[in-house]
């Protein structure tokens, strides 16, 4: 496993295991347990995924030393503002059953983000969180909120894949020394991406799967990637990308696939209110 050095001095595994939309009915526990056995050491959850407790139990039951597993969670919109965020952080720690989280993110960039960020800064100082970051921030949203922060985010977790390479955002992040974490790194299972002639040709040339080619491209671009699958073979394949490299020519060809368009636009009017109504993490 390769690691990326964050601007705060901590390191993060380049490939993580995402648990978005995995039910909290034992399925998340089983998936995380399986992922850890396969060699994953980076698990990404959130309060609004409603499965923090099963992630935490799987981590605790794994027998793997806590400091060898990188655990991320995220603060939901209901808990923005300083006081609410303090309670939200403690709630995530309690559900996870952990003394600290390796990374904690502002999940959605709406409302009292500065107040929530201040609470996260204080929690970091108190040792409850190792690294703090944001998610779903476009360049415009980043430039609106981040100048109000005392601490620069270590990461910005956004949709990113070969069809949507976030080139403008990456310029902003690179200037600040912040890392990009890619959710939907396989295009949310987009067959147009997985079956693209260039991707399949490179997969044939390197004797790899289409998914491995895509993830390898992203890791070589410097992204942290968060593929999600409960298929055991896909889970194993998604982490087996460190025994080969794409050539400079192949990387350039992959960069040419960028359309500049993703499936989610955080700047859509009313997005914050829509998400707040759609997901309630507590009464």
């Amino acid at each position: 496993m390769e690691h990326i050095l964050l601007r705060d001095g901590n390191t993060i595994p380049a490939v993580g295991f995402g648990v978005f939309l995995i039910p909290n009915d034992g399925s998340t526990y089983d998936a995380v347990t399986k992922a850890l056995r396969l060699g994953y050491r980076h698990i990404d959850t959130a309060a609004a995924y409603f499965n923090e407790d099963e992630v935490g139990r799987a981590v605790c039951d794994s027998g793997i030393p806590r400091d060898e597993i990188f655990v991320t969670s995220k603060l939901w919109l209901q808990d923005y503002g300083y006081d609410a965020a303090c309670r939200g952080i403690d709630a995530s720690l309690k559900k996870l059953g952990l003394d600290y989280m390796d990374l904690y993110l502002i999940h959605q960039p709406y409302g009292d983000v500065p107040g929530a960020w201040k609470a996260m800064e204080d929690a970091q100082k108190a040792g409850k969180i190792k690294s703090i970051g944001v998610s779903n921030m476009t360049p415009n949203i980043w430039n609106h909120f981040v100048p109000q922060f005392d601490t620069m985010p270590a990461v910005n977790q956004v949709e990113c894949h070969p069809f949507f390479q976030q080139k403008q955002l990456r310029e902003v992040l690179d200037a600040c020394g912040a890392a990009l974490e890619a959710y939907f790194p396989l295009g949310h299972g987009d067959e147009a991406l997985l079956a693209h002639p260039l991707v399949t040709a490179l997969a044939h040339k390197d004797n790899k799967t289409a998914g491995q080619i895509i993830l390898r491209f992203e890791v070589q671009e410097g992204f942290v990637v968060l593929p999600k699958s409960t298929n055991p073979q896909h889970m194993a394949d998604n982490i087996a990308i460190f025994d080969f490299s794409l050539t400079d020519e192949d990387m350039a060809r992959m960069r040419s696939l960028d359309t500049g368009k993703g499936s989610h636009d955080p700047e859509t009017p009313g997005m914050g209110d829509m998400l707040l109504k759609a997901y309630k993490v507590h009464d």
Side-chain angles (χ1 to χ4, degrees):
M1 174 61 68
E2 295 178 3
H3 289 71
I4 291 175
L5 179 65
L6 300 177
R7 68 181 318 279
D8 59 12
N10 296 317
T11 59
I12 183 171
V15 179
F17 182 71
V19 298
F20 179 52
L21 296 180
I22 303 181
N24 197 49
D25 59 1
S27 301
T28 297
Y29 179 87
D30 291 343
V32 173
T33 296
K34 190 177 299 178
L36 292 171
R37 288 174 180 165
L38 287 168
Y40 288 86
R41 291 296 182 267
H42 175 183
I43 310 298
D44 182 275
T45 185
Y49 295 175
F50 304 101
N51 53 20
E52 288 174 306
D53 56 338
E54 291 197 9
V55 168
R57 285 198 296 111
V59 168
C60 292
D61 291 350
S62 69
I64 300 167
R66 172 67 186 92
D67 62 1
E68 294 181 13
I69 303 177
F70 192 102
V71 178
T72 299
S73 193
K74 309 176 189 75
L75 183 72
W76 189 239
L77 287 160
Q78 275 181 280
D79 292 324
Y80 286 10
Y82 183 84
D83 291 337
C86 289
R87 293 190 294 270
I89 293 164
D90 288 342
S92 282
L93 285 168
K94 183 176 180 180
K95 287 179 180 178
L96 287 163
L98 302 176
D99 294 329
Y100 67 91
M101 293 174 281
D102 296 274
L103 177 63
Y104 198 64
L105 306 179
I106 294 280
H107 199 161
Q108 300 289 346
Y110 315 104
D112 188 4
V113 170
W117 187 257
K118 175 61 177 171
M120 289 166 58
E121 289 175 327
D122 287 350
Q124 183 181 37
K125 293 172 185 174
K128 296 179 180 181
I129 304 167
K130 298 285 188 179
S131 297
I132 54 178
V134 298
S135 184
N136 292 299
M137 283 197 177
T138 65
N140 288 336
I141 296 174
W142 177 281
N143 289 329
H144 173 71
F145 281 121
V146 172
Q148 302 177 55
F149 299 167
D150 290 335
T151 305
M152 183 68 63
V155 306
N156 185 11
Q157 186 181 122
V158 295
E159 178 184 0
C160 189
H161 46 77
F163 284 170
F164 186 38
Q165 296 179 32
Q166 294 278 12
K167 291 179 179 177
Q168 183 183 1
L169 177 63
R170 287 159 62 188
E171 291 180 2
V172 173
L173 299 183
D174 288 348
C176 299
L180 186 148
E181 278 194 299
Y183 71 74
F184 292 170
L186 299 174
H188 202 35
D190 184 355
E191 281 301 319
L193 174 60
L194 292 167
H196 191 281
L198 172 59
V199 174
T200 57
L202 293 178
H204 178 74
K205 178 172 73 75
D206 291 328
N207 195 29
K208 296 293 179 180
T209 68
Q212 287 173 321
I213 294 297
I214 294 166
L215 294 172
R216 183 65 210 178
F217 164 71
E218 292 162 347
V219 167
Q220 284 186 222
E221 288 289 82
F223 310 156
V224 177
V225 296
L226 299 169
K228 190 214 86 174
S229 177
T230 55
N231 178 299
Q233 187 60 58
H234 293 167
M235 291 169 68
D237 289 345
N238 289 343
I239 203 172
I241 60 170
F242 299 104
D243 59 348
F244 78 108
S245 296
L246 299 181
T247 66
D248 290 345
E249 180 183 356
D250 291 342
M251 290 293 290
R253 294 168 70 196
M254 287 292 291
R255 292 186 190 109
S256 73
L257 299 182
D258 188 30
T259 68
K261 297 179 180 179
S263 63
H264 174 62
D265 181 4
E267 296 185 26
T268 300
M271 179 61 72
D273 290 338
M274 183 188 75
L275 290 169
L276 186 56
K277 290 176 182 177
Y279 297 92
K280 299 287 186 182
V281 300
H282 55 72
D283 295 329

